Amino acid sequence: MEGSFFSHALLTLLIFLQFSTNVASNPESGNTNIEYIRASCSATSYRRLCFHSLSIYASKIRNNPKTLANTALNITLKAAKSTSRMMIKMSRIPGLIPRETAGAMADCIELIGDSIEELQDSIDELGHIRNSNFWLTMSDVQTWVSAALTDEDTCMDGLKGKPINGYTKTMLRRHILKVAHLTSNSLALINSYASSNPSSP
């Protein structure tokens, strides 16, 4: 019995030491990466959403402003694509979207589609950024992300006051608003990345 107790105690100690070693060797153990994201998100309008969406990528982002901006854009693009698919499906369900709202819904789907293209262009362009073309590229990226945000806001405005049943309207608004908020946060992080460049004017 005594031998069994000591074996169990030894096993427990070994597991604890292994866990401690893993934590000590993990750069996140000091919360450096998490704190970098928290500090970066303080420059955004929707801080909680920013931190919640980006903190799970802390070990990838570390303290790199370009990786942070690129990750934020990819998260936003994924949300925009998901919202677009949902809206298309809703528009095809008979009777879900009233006839008087069908035109606004179609416009909204088109606007979110434009937003997706602009976000994708921004990601592609950011991948080609160099010191030699930094400001020209950043200008393009900022323009596209701003245009994506405008498209999303226009989509929301187009659906305001339209006759849609309560649950459907709430779901649409929640998804489109989240995409708009993610886009706004991405733009703020892109602007922060631009200002972090040593050659910032």
Side-chain angles (χ1 to χ4, degrees):
M1 177 69 78
E2 185 177 351
S4 176
F5 170 79
F6 282 116
S7 295
H8 179 71
L10 181 60
L11 180 60
T12 302
L13 179 62
L14 287 173
I15 291 172
F16 173 77
L17 289 174
Q18 179 65 36
F19 175 77
S20 300
T21 302
N22 287 342
V23 170
S25 64
N26 188 338
E28 289 186 36
S29 62
N31 289 328
T32 304
N33 300 332
I34 291 289
E35 288 308 313
Y36 172 71
I37 291 173
R38 193 187 306 278
S40 299
C41 285
S42 68
T44 67
S45 296
Y46 308 98
R47 299 179 185 183
R48 184 177 297 179
L49 176 63
C50 177
F51 181 76
H52 178 74
S53 62
L54 288 165
S55 58
I56 57 174
Y57 301 101
S59 61
K60 171 189 171 185
I61 293 168
R62 294 181 179 272
N63 62 346
N64 187 313
K66 178 183 176 182
T67 306
L68 178 66
N70 188 62
T71 303
L73 280 172
N74 275 283
I75 290 169
T76 305
L77 177 63
K78 183 178 179 181
K81 286 181 175 179
S82 175
T83 297
S84 176
R85 288 192 297 268
M86 180 200 71
M87 292 173 68
I88 291 169
K89 287 179 181 177
M90 291 175 104
S91 70
R92 292 173 178 169
I93 298 174
L96 184 63
I97 304 298
R99 188 175 300 175
E100 311 92 289
T101 310
M105 185 71 164
D107 290 342
C108 201
I109 290 171
E110 184 176 349
L111 285 163
I112 296 298
D114 291 342
S115 174
I116 288 170
E117 289 182 11
E118 288 149 356
L119 290 168
Q120 185 64 66
D121 287 342
S122 300
I123 293 168
D124 294 343
E125 192 74 357
L126 203 58
H128 299 125
I129 201 166
R130 301 288 182 273
N131 286 335
S132 58
N133 67 355
F134 185 87
W135 289 110
L136 180 61
T137 302
M138 285 307 300
S139 177
D140 287 341
V141 171
Q142 288 166 324
T143 298
W144 282 326
V145 179
S146 295
L149 184 57
T150 299
D151 287 335
E152 293 150 11
D153 288 341
T154 304
C155 167
M156 282 292 299
D157 290 342
L159 290 175
K160 279 180 183 176
K162 299 296 181 183
I164 309 174
N165 76 61
Y167 178 75
T168 303
K169 191 171 189 175
T170 300
M171 183 183 294
L172 276 171
R173 177 178 171 77
R174 185 173 70 245
H175 281 80
I176 298 168
L177 208 56
K178 182 179 180 180
V179 174
H181 289 176
L182 286 170
T183 304
S184 171
N185 285 347
S186 293
L187 183 58
L189 295 174
I190 287 164
N191 291 339
S192 294
Y193 170 42
S195 65
S196 74
N197 187 275
S199 61
S200 177

